[in-house]
Amino acid sequence: MAIREIIVLPDKQLRLVSKPIESVTAEVRKLADDMFETMYDAPGIGLAAIQVAVPLRLITMDLAKKEDETGAKPRVFINPEILSSSEELSVYEEGCLSIPEYYEEVERPAQVRFRFMDLDGKVHEEDADGLFATCIQHEIDHLNGVLFVDYLSKLKRDRVLKKFTKQAKRAGE
Ligand code: NI
């Protein structure tokens, strides 16, 4: 296993739409292993492959430190797809390893049903609520080039983009 570099705002790769994984190869397994190591090291509770600059539809997640519920163990979701969302909404303070040390409240559907493939190539459907629902929606967004700051007001979004653009420039000087 190896820790990979997490790309951060304003890296344009974060806006890519990731490609479906056709079969679980040794390379895909290695990617998942590396993503777990990277995610635990960060530390974070969810990671999408594009955050380590791999544009494939793969997510790792472990909510064990946060909540005792369905998502509370190491989970891999390949080609995840939301099938239905509740009308009921819930608000969580979200953060993102690609937008370090920035947290804001985001409102999303409180429950979702989704489909995914596991590392054995089996397809499952599962219901998520609570933090698990928020986290799976946040990570699936990454696969579509969407970031949680996209749900904030333009003012807040512009402010955070400016801050990270400045930081990147400073780091590059
Ligand atoms: Ni994120």
Side-chain angles (χ1 to χ4, degrees):
M1 291 208 288
I3 293 173
R4 302 201 189 188
E5 191 189 339
I6 297 177
I7 59 174
V8 297
L9 214 65
D11 194 315
K12 287 190 169 64
Q13 293 175 92
L14 290 168
R15 294 307 189 174
L16 291 176
V17 175
S18 296
K19 291 197 169 62
I21 291 173
E22 278 167 29
S23 61
V24 182
T25 58
E27 202 181 329
V28 168
R29 287 171 188 281
K30 169 86 167 80
L31 172 63
D33 282 349
D34 287 356
M35 283 171 60
F36 275 116
E37 193 168 358
T38 305
M39 183 180 87
Y40 290 132
D41 176 71
I45 57 173
L47 192 68
I50 191 58
Q51 294 182 272
V52 293
V54 179
L56 290 176
R57 302 187 83 83
L58 190 149
I59 288 166
T60 55
M61 193 182 295
D62 189 345
L63 306 181
K65 290 206 175 76
K66 288 282 183 175
E67 268 183 40
D68 180 24
E69 55 176 301
T70 343
K73 56 180 175 178
R75 304 287 309 266
V76 176
F77 304 111
I78 299 170
N79 304 337
E81 195 185 331
I82 304 276
L83 301 173
S84 61
S85 308
S86 64
E87 277 181 32
E88 187 198 335
L89 302 174
S90 66
V91 176
Y92 270 96
E93 186 175 74
E94 296 190 24
C96 181
L97 294 176
S98 295
I99 312 172
E101 288 164 43
Y102 183 76
Y103 304 91
E104 273 291 341
E105 288 190 336
V106 176
E107 193 175 48
R108 297 180 187 267
Q111 292 100 26
V112 293
R113 184 164 182 81
F114 69 106
R115 184 191 290 139
F116 64 96
M117 186 166 78
D118 65 19
L119 277 178
D120 296 320
K122 282 194 194 133
V123 175
H124 305 266
E125 282 187 19
E126 197 164 320
D127 293 302
D129 65 10
L131 178 66
F132 184 28
T134 285
C135 201
I136 195 73
Q137 291 174 81
H138 174 120
E139 300 307 334
I140 290 175
D141 274 353
H142 273 301
L143 307 183
N144 297 320
V146 174
L147 300 170
F148 84 91
V149 293
D150 297 343
Y151 297 99
L152 307 179
S153 68
K154 187 175 180 328
L155 184 76
K156 279 185 180 171
R157 190 170 56 250
D158 287 350
R159 203 182 287 154
V160 66
L161 274 171
K162 208 169 151 187
K163 182 182 154 203
F164 279 89
T165 305
K166 261 190 202 159
Q167 275 177 9
K169 258 189 206 149
R170 231 176 280 139
E173 270 164 14

